Amino acid sequence: MPITGECFCGSIRYQVEGELRDARSCHCSRCRKAFSSQASAYALIDADRFTWLQGEELLSRYNSQQDFGLQFCRRCGSTLCGTYKGAVHGVTLGCVNGDPKVAIGYHIFVGSRASWEIMPDGVVAYDESAPQD
């Protein structure tokens, strides 16, 4: 069964065939600003299994660093996905409809989290990025 998602105003909709994977939450200052929250909630996908169903013409793009960017709805501002070299490589969990069947596996850049954020006990957390396999 495909996973679907949409922006806050419902103008943009997408579908992912397959599972979301490697869900994480990033607490760096850049993600706090991009997601208007204490952290991001994000999972990776296979780019060739992602399809825009509606409203692709309403997407705005922001390249946050070389090869990496975000896409969001220009009507309501919802951040929908991240891109790598122009292709969607992950989705924001807040815009997924229903149960995404994935859990946040770890938290990154907690060393630069907001002073007002309290991390729960027992979560897997890294001061910077997660170690590479």
Side-chain angles (χ1 to χ4, degrees), residues 1-3 15-20 45-46 48-51:
M1 179 153 211
I3 295 166
Q15 176 176 295
V16 179
E17 293 288 341
E19 297 179 0
L20 305 181
I45 61 154
D46 292 323
D48 61 344
R49 308 215 54 191
F50 180 91
T51 307

Side-chain angles (χ1 to χ4, degrees), residues 71-103:
Q71 291 184 316
F72 53 93
C73 176
R74 80 177 87 179
R75 285 189 179 155
C76 67
S78 294
T79 302
L80 292 154
C81 63
T83 59
Y84 177 68
K85 293 187 176 182
V88 175
H89 77 86
V91 295
T92 60
L93 295 177
C95 290
V96 171
N97 295 323
D99 182 358
K101 305 266 191 273
V102 70

